[in-house]
Amino acid sequence: METADCIIVGAGLAGLACGRTLAAAGRRVRLIEAASQPGGRVATDTVDGFRIDRGFQVYLDAYPEGQRFLDHARLGLGCFEPGALVARDGRLLPVSDPWRRPLAAIRSVVSGAVGIADGLRTARLRAATIRGVRQGRIDPVAAAPAEERSTRAALEVHGFSSGFIQLFFEPFFGGVFLERQLATAETVFAFTFAMFSLGRACLPAGGMAAIPQQLASGLPEGCLELGAPVERIEPDPSGGGEVLLANGQRLAARAIVVAADAAAAADLLPAGVRGSWQPPAFKATTMVAFAAEKQPACGRTLIVSAEPAGAGPIDNLTVPSAVAAGYAPAGQTLIYASVRGDWTGPASELPSAIRRQAADWIGSGAEGWRQLATVTVPRALPVETPAVRRARPASGQLCPGLFLCGDHLTTSSINGALAAGRLVAEGLLAS
């Protein structure tokens, strides 16, 4: 039986980044993936010629790990308009970035969406988070500080009014973090806020799956095996071990990296090597995709809802076909509506409830939208409260030659997943 330098179980973004880093250093690597495509949670399906991502996702082109691993030009990135339209009481209020859209930002103040005091606080927060990221003081991949607060607590300390937190931060970053309580740790928020400030929110041409596909294309030929579920992992006390596939095949390596989904990783690993590590809780998300013949007037601008849950199920609404090429057939429009986690209506009424709420915001044309798919992702993002972050293991190494790898050990983002893979690979190379 041939022994590889490293077997990586799972070809999500973390596994792909780990494989790319090791292969670039000349190591013989095998990536084993159960699914038919690489990418894990970053995936795109085709329905009636429309490209539908697995839940609403965006790529921030200021991500340092993205700039390290990805060729942005080849991705054909299309960009959202800076800022957002905030739905409240049936109206759409603009909240714009004054550095990129100064006139629109003035309209935000005039419309009452942003008060002058909260606008100044936002400017100070922008400057502080960018400075902190550049100086390395704000890094959600690093160990969580003991005094870390929640996002909501941090915003209150910064002096933001409760009205502006409810109007903007709750719906906008609630959509990013999949929770409106803003319980996500302040370091994660500050880094993400800086990334939105420094760069653009983007979609790759043809869907988010273009990101893992590009990563996979940079691997040595033959090292990625798809459609190969792993049955179990058998560590060797002296280092590395064997990986048993569901088809009975055994693979040996001097090092094994478990980059599968955290829950799957727990099932693959023998209880004796997991130690105190337990997979984190995850947040779920649901998105409904619609086809339309006419593009809504919001175009490339994200709509987020600051309305109560009783007003309707929409968390945010986007038009990906207006942002990037390849999402919809010629002459057609693709619309995503992400569903609030606190909406309690029956699933059978979800598409019609979305249409009614959207029609209140953007006109009766929404009533004619055709449902394409309802996408539910039960484990979309790991929970990242300060307590959860402080409980993360200091290292992904479980025993000699056996490593955990994934954004659940760093931070739950594309940047965090890529960083997780790179750091494990660098640790392997150093040892």
Side-chain angles (χ1 to χ4, degrees):
M1 180 167 48
E2 182 182 357
T3 301
D5 291 325
C6 182
I7 293 174
I8 302 169
V9 178
L13 297 189
L16 291 168
C18 184
R20 286 278 297 266
T21 305
L22 290 171
R27 299 299 191 268
R28 291 179 297 117
V29 179
R30 293 191 69 168
L31 274 83
I32 310 299
E33 169 58 47
S36 60
Q37 295 292 329
R41 302 195 304 270
V42 181
T44 307
D45 300 305
T46 302
V47 178
D48 292 348
F50 292 85
R51 299 287 286 166
I52 300 175
D53 295 323
R54 302 266 180 92
F56 173 59
Q57 305 177 49
V58 299
Y59 173 71
L60 304 182
D61 65 357
Y63 279 152
E65 297 293 336
Q67 294 175 6
R68 179 193 300 266
F69 281 103
L70 298 170
D71 183 336
H72 287 176
R74 282 179 53 213
L75 286 174
L77 297 174
C79 303
F80 287 88
E81 282 290 323
L85 292 169
V86 181
R88 185 177 66 178
D89 300 327
R91 297 174 57 214
L92 294 180
L93 304 175
V95 177
S96 297
D97 185 336
W99 282 267
R100 295 189 178 95
R101 299 289 187 271
L103 294 179
I106 291 171
R107 288 196 295 272
S108 300
V109 174
V110 172
S111 71
V114 182
I116 293 176
D118 282 317
L120 292 173
R121 293 184 187 102
T122 303
R124 288 196 292 269
L125 179 64
R126 181 185 191 274
T129 57
I130 290 174
R131 185 168 58 251
V133 167
R134 287 174 171 168
Q135 294 174 352
R137 292 183 290 102
I138 296 176
D139 181 6
V141 172
E147 70 280 5
E148 189 172 57
R149 302 166 293 203
S150 69
T151 295
R152 184 178 296 277
L155 292 172
E156 291 170 350
V157 168
H158 283 293
F160 286 99
S161 68
S162 59
F164 188 58
I165 291 174
Q166 185 178 27
L167 176 73
F168 177 68
F169 288 110
E170 282 184 15
F172 190 91
F173 284 94
V176 173
F177 300 139
L178 301 182
E179 53 93 10
R180 290 193 170 219
Q181 293 75 32
L182 300 181
T184 297
E186 64 175 316
T187 307
V188 178
F189 162 75
F191 179 83
T192 307
F193 191 87
M195 294 299 101
F196 275 107
S197 300
L198 287 167
R200 306 165 300 172
C202 306
L203 294 175
M208 291 294 290
I211 292 174
Q213 287 167 2
Q214 185 184 108
L215 288 168
S217 70
L219 290 166
E221 185 176 356
C223 80
L224 173 59
E225 186 172 349
L226 300 171
V230 171
E231 187 76 24
R232 68 178 181 271
I233 294 168
E234 299 176 350
D236 186 318
S238 63
E242 294 186 357
V243 173
L244 177 64
L245 303 187
N247 63 8
Q249 184 181 7
R250 284 183 174 271
L251 307 174
R254 297 179 181 85
I256 299 173
V257 175
V258 185
D261 169 270
D267 291 336
L268 293 173
L269 291 166
V273 303
R274 293 204 302 264
S276 61
W277 175 79
Q278 294 292 330
F282 274 76
K283 296 171 282 188
T285 186
T286 296
M287 181 189 80
V288 184
F290 297 92
E293 294 186 359
K294 185 177 180 181
Q295 179 177 296
C298 59
R300 295 188 297 122
T301 305
L302 172 73
I303 299 178
V304 297
S305 176
E307 296 185 331
I314 299 176
D315 189 21
N316 59 63
L317 189 143
T318 57
V319 187
S321 57
V323 176
Y327 269 92
Q332 295 288 304
T333 295
L334 176 64
I335 297 157
Y336 289 165
S338 292
V339 179
R340 296 175 61 125
D342 55 2
W343 189 70
T344 57
S348 60
E349 296 181 8
L350 182 56
S352 58
I354 289 172
R355 293 186 191 100
R356 285 195 301 272
Q357 189 175 22
D360 290 340
W361 299 344
I362 59 178
S364 60
E367 296 170 356
W369 293 350
R370 174 171 64 92
Q371 182 191 6
L372 290 167
T374 298
V375 180
T376 298
V377 185
R379 293 197 296 269
L381 290 177
V383 171
E384 285 196 280
T385 62
V388 168
R389 279 172 42 78
R390 285 193 289 270
R392 293 185 312 187
S395 168
Q397 185 166 5
L398 299 174
C399 60
L402 181 63
F403 298 82
L404 275 175
C405 178
D407 65 351
H408 56 95
L409 299 177
T410 52
T411 183
S412 56
S413 67
I414 289 173
N415 190 78
L418 295 175
R422 176 180 61 82
L423 290 171
V424 166
E426 290 176 350
L428 272 168
L429 292 170
S431 62

